[in-house]
Amino acid sequence: MNMQTTSVMAPPTPKGLGEMKLPIVMMRDILLKTIFRKNVDTVSEVAQAICLPGSVTQELIDISREQKLLEATGTLSANSGNEMGYQLTDAGKARALDALSQSEYFGAMPVPLDVYSEQVKRQSIRNIQVTRDQLVGAMGHLVLPDSLLDHLGPAVSAGRSVLMYGPPGNGKSSISNGIRDALGDNVYVPYAIEYAGQVITVYDPIVHTAVEQEADDPNSLRRRKRFDTRYVQCERPTVVTGGELSLSMLDLVYNPTARTYQAPLQLKSTGGIFIVDDLGRQQEPPQALINRWIVPLEENKDILGLQSGEKFEVPFDTLVIFSTNFHPNEIFDQAALRRIFFKIKIDGPDQENYLKIFAMVARKRGMPLDETALVHLLKVKYPTINNVYANYQPIFLIDQMISICEFEGIPYQMSPDLIDRAWANMFVKDEKIVN
């Protein structure tokens, strides 16, 4: 179903234990561990801690009571609307400690992998249709040729892989961030997912930006969210990696102390963008990194492995943007290039666009333009580098001149002399250092 989406369909709230699709023992143990670790005692407090509706939480409490693992305290809590309190029995404490020795995970009940996969389809990055206006709006701070937007727009709307290449300093990273800003809507990210009885944490506040929710009325017994609270409503995520990216970062991370797994970067970026910046600067060769992505890029699924060696499939629903300063033919074979759907060259600006960028930056920085200085820059300085313009240069030169003016205690201004001083810091002379 490919349609324009402005509002993603929320994950439905489970109405009973039968809809949870998790082993009863696993749910019961997470309930006991959470009560033990968080010291919560009323149904509403426990429900909030394990992110389930009160009715489903009550079912789990009733099962635990039948098994003599929980007991009613016999007191009503005035702070919680006169709710009955519950506490762990000695057997319940023993069971909680035993369960904690097997896995330290407690808190939000995990979402089964197949249930999460259905939500991924509902909020797929491939359902998004980005218009030219949205892309221009998100990149209004950049001076880009129309022909570049002609190529970028279809690439983003297709939700397929993109390779941006070209000389450094021309805004490949800024364009990647602009694409992220153009997406606009929100997705639902689970705190954790479950596969084969193993818990894999997904929500990561470093990667995911939660959307502000209306606060529930603390005095209301019926705390109702419009979606399954095992998920966090977030902006579409963006993961940016650079020279530090290694193949191991694309595998599940196992914590031997907690005996739980953490999702790899590409799983955390589901429904959003994964930017591999500075491709070619990593320890692994670019060809090896691309080979790791071939199956996910072609089949929209990834293969991950547990400590036991068991392999399993997870959804791969990410717009992957590779960015490199190398020519693609230098770092990839043709088979790898064929698998990257869009290849877009990001060149430096022509002189006209360079001057537009220079004027825009000067206006933002409060630096008055000077015709003599600009003529000196274009006619004297740029011919020394074969008139090769780059997007980063106006910002660099103007900031340099501002620093000089502030040091000299003079008003912001530009002159041929100040251009020369700023230019000297932009390039290092090729000369031998005598020891």
Side-chain angles (χ1 to χ4, degrees), residues 112-367:
L113 176 58
D114 57 345
V115 174
Y116 172 55
S117 297
E118 290 303 309
Q119 182 58 31
V120 170
K121 289 177 190 171
R122 287 193 282 265
Q123 60 194 30
S124 173
I125 189 79
R126 293 173 184 87
N127 290 346
I128 284 188
Q129 295 298 315
V130 176
T131 65
R132 182 180 287 270
D133 286 347
Q134 284 173 303
L135 210 50
V136 169
M139 300 193 188
H141 61 299
L142 303 173
V143 176
L144 302 173
D146 288 339
S147 59
L148 179 55
L149 291 175
D150 292 342
H151 289 103
L152 273 179
V156 176
S157 286
R160 305 289 291 269
S161 52
V162 180
L163 171 65
M164 292 193 292
Y165 66 98
N170 283 310
K172 291 187 290 295
S173 301
S174 300
I175 291 167
S176 300
N177 293 331
I179 291 171
R180 173 197 63 196
D181 295 342
L183 298 181
D185 62 348
N186 301 319
V187 292
Y188 295 87
V189 179
Y191 284 105
I193 56 176
E194 174 271 343
Y195 173 77
Q198 301 297 319
V199 176
I200 302 163
T201 58
V202 179
Y203 174 72
D204 180 348
I206 295 171
V207 170
H208 300 110
T209 304
V211 176
E212 287 289 326
Q213 297 290 328
E214 290 179 23
D216 282 327
D217 179 359
N219 298 315
S220 169
L221 278 176
R222 297 185 178 274
R223 293 173 157 235
R224 294 185 66 85
K225 282 269 172 70
R226 291 182 297 277
F227 60 88
D228 185 344
T229 53
R230 290 178 295 168
Y231 293 81
V232 184
Q233 191 177 12
C234 298
E235 296 173 9
R236 286 193 180 266
T238 302
V239 170
V240 183
T241 64
E244 79 283 1
L245 178 64
S246 64
L247 286 171
S248 63
M249 292 164 72
L250 305 177
D251 295 330
L252 282 173
V253 180
Y254 182 67
N255 183 329
T257 308
R259 294 181 177 83
T260 57
Y261 293 87
Q262 187 179 100
L265 292 173
Q266 72 276 19
L267 189 53
K268 289 180 181 178
S269 70
T270 298
I273 300 178
F274 192 111
I275 299 171
V276 183
D277 216 352
D278 277 336
L279 191 63
R281 305 286 182 203
Q282 293 77 16
Q283 284 190 324
E284 272 104 352
Q287 186 70 47
L289 287 170
I290 288 291
N291 288 346
R292 170 63 181 81
W293 293 91
I294 283 174
V295 169
L297 290 174
E298 289 197 336
E299 301 184 19
N300 301 334
K301 64 184 182 186
D302 198 7
I303 311 292
L304 299 177
L306 299 172
Q307 285 287 104
S308 63
E310 182 182 355
K311 305 283 186 187
F312 64 103
E313 289 181 5
V314 293
F316 185 85
D317 187 73
T318 302
L319 170 61
V320 184
I321 300 175
F322 300 102
S323 170
T324 182
N325 298 333
F326 296 96
H327 192 282
N329 291 339
E330 293 176 20
I331 54 177
F332 299 128
D333 63 22
Q334 289 306 307
L337 277 177
R338 196 169 61 245
R339 289 175 166 97
I340 299 175
F341 208 67
F342 293 92
K343 292 166 274 288
I344 302 172
K345 189 172 188 206
I346 312 291
D347 264 327
D350 58 17
Q351 190 180 92
E352 182 186 354
N353 278 332
Y354 176 87
L355 286 171
K356 280 184 188 173
I357 296 167
F358 200 97
M360 186 172 72
V361 174
R363 187 172 62 251
K364 281 184 180 174
R365 298 287 203 270
M367 168 69 80

Side-chain angles (χ1 to χ4, degrees), residues 10-135:
T13 303
K15 293 183 173 61
L17 281 184
E19 293 185 13
M20 295 291 294
K21 298 185 180 178
L22 287 169
I24 292 286
V25 170
M26 181 184 199
M27 290 191 284
R28 181 208 66 192
D29 283 354
I30 288 176
L31 173 92
L32 298 176
K33 288 188 284 184
T34 304
I35 291 172
F36 183 80
R37 283 279 191 238
K38 290 201 162 189
N39 200 26
V40 285
D41 60 0
T42 63
V43 174
S44 60
E45 286 176 337
V46 175
Q48 195 170 11
I50 62 174
C51 300
L52 289 181
S55 58
V56 183
T57 305
Q58 186 68 61
E59 284 185 74
L60 278 174
I61 286 175
D62 291 343
I63 289 170
S64 302
R65 288 183 74 190
E66 286 168 17
Q67 296 175 358
K68 305 287 192 289
L69 301 171
L70 274 183
E71 61 188 4
T73 58
T75 56
L76 298 177
S77 172
N79 293 334
S80 300
N82 288 329
E83 282 187 78
M84 177 63 70
Y86 296 93
Q87 63 187 17
L88 295 168
T89 62
D90 288 343
K93 285 177 188 168
R95 179 60 217 157
L97 287 167
D98 186 42
L100 283 164
S101 72
Q102 294 171 46
S103 166
E104 275 281 345
Y105 185 82
F106 64 92
M109 203 65 69
V111 177
L113 176 58
D114 57 345
V115 174
Y116 172 55
S117 297
E118 290 303 309
Q119 182 58 31
V120 170
K121 289 177 190 171
R122 287 193 282 265
Q123 60 194 30
S124 173
I125 189 79
R126 293 173 184 87
N127 290 346
I128 284 188
Q129 295 298 315
V130 176
T131 65
R132 182 180 287 270
D133 286 347
Q134 284 173 303
L135 210 50

